Amino acid sequence: MSMTSEERLKWWNEARYGMFIHWGLYAVLAGEWNGQRTKGIGEWIMRDLKIPITEYEKLAAQFNPVKFNADEWAQVAQDAGMKYLVITSKHHDGFCMFNSPSNPYNIVNRTPFKRDPMKELAAACNKRGIKMCFYYSQDLDWHAPGGAGHWEEAVEGPNWLNYARPKEDFQKYLDDVVKPNLRELLTNYGPIGLIWFDVPVTVTKEQSESLRDLVHELQPACLVSGRIGNDVGDYGSLGDNEHPIGKIEGAWETPATLNDTWGFKHFDHNWKSVDFLLDLLVNCVSKGVNYLLNVGPTAEGVIPQPSVERLREVGQWLKRNGEAVYGSQASPFFTDPAWGRVTTKGNTIYLLVKIWSNDGVKLRGLTNKVVSARVLGADQAHVTFNQQGDTVSFTLPDQAPEKTVSVVAVKLDGPAKADQCVFVETGGFAQLPVQLADIQGSALKVQRTRGIEGWNDTSYAVSWTLRVDKPGDYEVRVITIVNRKHPEEFGNHEVRVDIGQCSVAGNAGTRDMKPPTDERVFGNVTSVLGKIKLAPGDQTLSIRAVKLDPTAKRGLRLMAVELHPVKSH
Ligand code: GLC
């Protein structure tokens, strides 16, 4: 029985929120080896501290997670409101956290624990209706000969991904290690929701397809994550902790950490607040993106208490407001409102209000008729509203039901539709990100988080449709991205912004760059072009490069244009 990605994604689009678990021999080291603390993520300690294979293998004899209790872990996921659970069955260190007859480097054969935690976890998840899923590193393998990044093969240098092709045959590794493992994972543990592949640095398109086909042959309904490589997954995987700007077509998922590591590090206490976690979850689902939030259990088999507490609080919020999350789709609006985010489901839109004020909240551009509105949670308090032209104003009850994000469910006369434009409201600031722009230029490529690439031609332009409420003066600012270590590659360009009869031109680039105040490599630069007068009504704002800096090999790396109201004296 062959299935389409769309059919496989049905449960996944309903789930929206899952638990990621990074658990392996690296938990024994907990971020430290030979008195040295790794600066990297916990599960990369073998690579980052250059631990020889023979040394790392000794960890197996110390791995005895006597406190591991599958039901407790599955209960944490259930209390968190997470609908699927993705656990590392084999990470880049090559150690199998499951009973693998084909690969003796595994938890049953090599540790005093001798049990198969994946088997126990699959049963605990099935009992609770949580989809059991496996993370599997199909490319990097620092233990098995033929695996990419096999220790002796690793090429030192700035780009750690620049592995020499392993001496042994990578295809042989796929045939002898990966495929037998996939057969075991998809035969011995019941129905599996998805295989979360990762770091496709070596795998060719044919090889990615062969792995995908094997998964679908063994379990047709099992999803394959985007990191299988070569765009052959059933859905796309955003970067680690990457939060989408603007809508992205298709099915996507953000993997995210609760602190700054996936695998346990005993000294990483940088836990995100519940408030921030909710913002991230709400932002993801408002773009139709799934949120896969990670826990890193200890070598004893315990999920760190700070993780449990935060997940439980978000889970409580979901008990009261999950209607706005589970099975929801991306906001129908072109941009996010200042007061929060929006999701939609059927004939209802959900206002996920972070800034709850007596002034109420406003929606711009809705082309449906509002039928009714109620507050979720609380006593389902009725919300009054006034719909005029392209604006609906909602009057909110004095008391917000939640201390973080409160939800108003708005029933419409049909599936939500909205004008796709950016509203420039009187006295309001407007940001025009390239992710929302119309692109005119064959070589232009919008990067999800790093702006536009390939702008090396003055015939190119990007534009946005604006709806300006009242005439007014605005200062035009151009935001470009720059690699602070190589600013010369980004240079200085002469750009011009046109709207209606007005235009303003000036320099955009590193000339305006302030000295970096942190270690981040990439940073944004704001260049002020000057002032323009906006007439009221719908119009197109466009930006083009009048003169490109010939020394800047990266071209004009535009991130956004901003319009800041100028106070009229
Ligand atoms: C990166 C890391 C890997 C981690 C994954 C989680 O790919 O290399 O260690 O499992 O992110 O998204």
Side-chain angles (χ1 to χ4, degrees), residues 287-317:
K287 310 289 183 299
V289 170
N290 278 27
Y291 193 46
L292 185 64
L293 187 53
N294 180 73
V295 295
T298 67
E300 291 184 305
V302 175
I303 297 176
Q305 194 52 26
S307 304
V308 174
E309 287 159 4
R310 283 156 179 75
L311 292 181
R312 185 180 303 128
E313 263 211 66
V314 173
Q316 292 304 322
W317 182 87

Side-chain angles (χ1 to χ4, degrees), residues 20 22 41 43-44 91-92 135 196 198-199 227 240 255 262:
F20 214 170
H22 278 69
I41 41 186
E43 70 286 1
W44 271 71
H91 205 269
H92 310 332
Y135 167 109
W196 212 94
D198 196 15
V199 193
R227 293 193 192 179
D240 296 350
W262 306 90

Side-chain angles (χ1 to χ4, degrees), residues 541-561:
L541 178 144
S542 63
I543 179 170
R544 65 187 63 250
V546 177
K547 188 175 173 313
L548 285 157
D549 182 338
T551 66
K553 71 179 190 179
R554 301 280 180 176
L556 171 62
R557 289 294 302 270
L558 183 69
M559 289 288 278
V561 173

Side-chain angles (χ1 to χ4, degrees), residues 484-506:
R484 293 176 169 140
K485 296 193 169 28
H486 302 287
E488 71 289 349
E489 294 181 0
F490 295 73
N492 285 284
H493 313 279
E494 191 66 15
V495 299
R496 194 185 73 227
V497 166
D498 297 299
I499 180 163
Q501 306 306 315
C502 293
S503 69
V504 62

Side-chain angles (χ1 to χ4, degrees), residues 159-475:
N159 171 4
W160 61 269
L161 283 179
N162 177 24
Y163 288 116
R165 283 194 67 79
K167 260 200 301 289
E168 303 79 355
D169 176 0
F170 180 69
Q171 184 58 46
K172 189 170 178 328
Y173 167 71
L174 292 180
D175 294 339
D176 297 352
V177 178
V178 175
K179 290 181 179 175
N181 270 176
L182 290 175
R183 286 187 186 286
E184 290 156 358
L185 291 168
L186 290 162
T187 309
N188 305 335
Y189 298 88
I192 300 300
L194 68 93
I195 301 288
W196 212 94
F197 292 103
D198 196 15
V199 193
V201 289
T202 308
V203 70
T204 64
K205 186 167 173 64
E206 296 69 33
Q207 290 169 333
S208 295
E209 286 167 340
S210 69
L211 298 181
R212 173 203 61 193
D213 295 347
L214 174 60
V215 171
H216 290 159
E217 172 208 320
L218 293 164
Q219 293 204 23
C222 181
L223 286 162
V224 164
S225 84
R227 293 193 192 179
I228 189 168
N230 302 296
D231 279 339
V232 303
D234 288 304
Y235 69 86
S237 179
L238 290 175
D240 296 350
N241 288 300
E242 175 188 342
H243 288 282
I245 307 162
K247 254 192 292 299
I248 39 179
E249 293 311 313
W252 291 85
E253 177 191 68
T254 287
T257 51
L258 270 162
N259 49 6
D260 295 322
T261 178
W262 306 90
F264 179 66
K265 280 167 64 175
H266 72 84
F267 49 91
D268 181 338
H269 306 293
N270 190 25
W271 303 105
K272 295 177 177 73
S273 69
V274 170
D275 198 351
F276 186 49
L277 290 167
L278 253 183
D279 283 353
L280 297 175
L281 170 65
V282 161
N283 183 55
C284 269
V285 294
S286 75
K287 310 289 183 299
V289 170
N290 278 27
Y291 193 46
L292 185 64
L293 187 53
N294 180 73
V295 295
T298 67
E300 291 184 305
V302 175
I303 297 176
Q305 194 52 26
S307 304
V308 174
E309 287 159 4
R310 283 156 179 75
L311 292 181
R312 185 180 303 128
E313 263 211 66
V314 173
Q316 292 304 322
W317 182 87
L318 280 165
K319 271 203 175 55
R320 298 186 295 269
N321 302 282
E323 179 187 333
V325 170
Y326 300 124
S328 69
Q329 303 301 314
S331 163
F333 297 96
F334 196 58
T335 55
D336 295 321
W339 42 260
R341 293 291 184 267
V342 177
T343 60
T344 182
K345 192 176 2 180
N347 291 356
T348 300
I349 50 174
Y350 295 93
L351 315 185
L352 296 124
V353 183
K354 179 146 175 77
I355 303 172
W356 186 278
S357 86
N358 293 338
D359 303 340
V361 294
K362 200 165 58 170
L363 274 180
R364 294 293 308 269
L366 188 68
T367 56
N368 301 82
K369 259 187 75 48
V370 172
V371 174
S372 65
R374 63 189 164 84
V375 180
L376 287 196
D379 50 5
Q380 308 281 312
H382 181 69
V383 172
T384 56
F385 57 88
N386 173 14
Q387 184 164 15
Q388 279 186 357
D390 73 2
T391 304
V392 193
S393 307
F394 296 89
T395 306
L396 300 175
D398 289 348
Q399 195 51 44
E402 301 287 346
K403 60 181 189 309
T404 51
V405 176
S406 299
V407 181
V408 178
V410 179
K411 205 168 213 26
L412 305 173
D413 60 357
K417 287 190 186 58
D419 293 334
Q420 296 304 296
C421 59
V422 179
F423 293 91
V424 183
E425 300 186 330
T426 309
F429 152 75
Q431 183 174 66
L432 314 175
V434 290
Q435 288 80 4
L436 295 178
D438 287 326
I439 307 292
Q440 297 108 41
S442 53
L444 292 182
K445 190 167 168 17
V446 177
Q447 295 296 334
R448 290 192 316 261
T449 55
R450 294 223 172 116
I452 245 177
E453 283 190 343
W455 199 326
N456 290 306
D457 187 314
T458 52
S459 68
Y460 293 166
V462 298
S463 61
W464 297 267
T465 304
L466 305 188
R467 179 167 297 168
V468 180
D469 284 351
K470 286 209 177 79
D473 293 333
Y474 289 82
E475 180 179 80

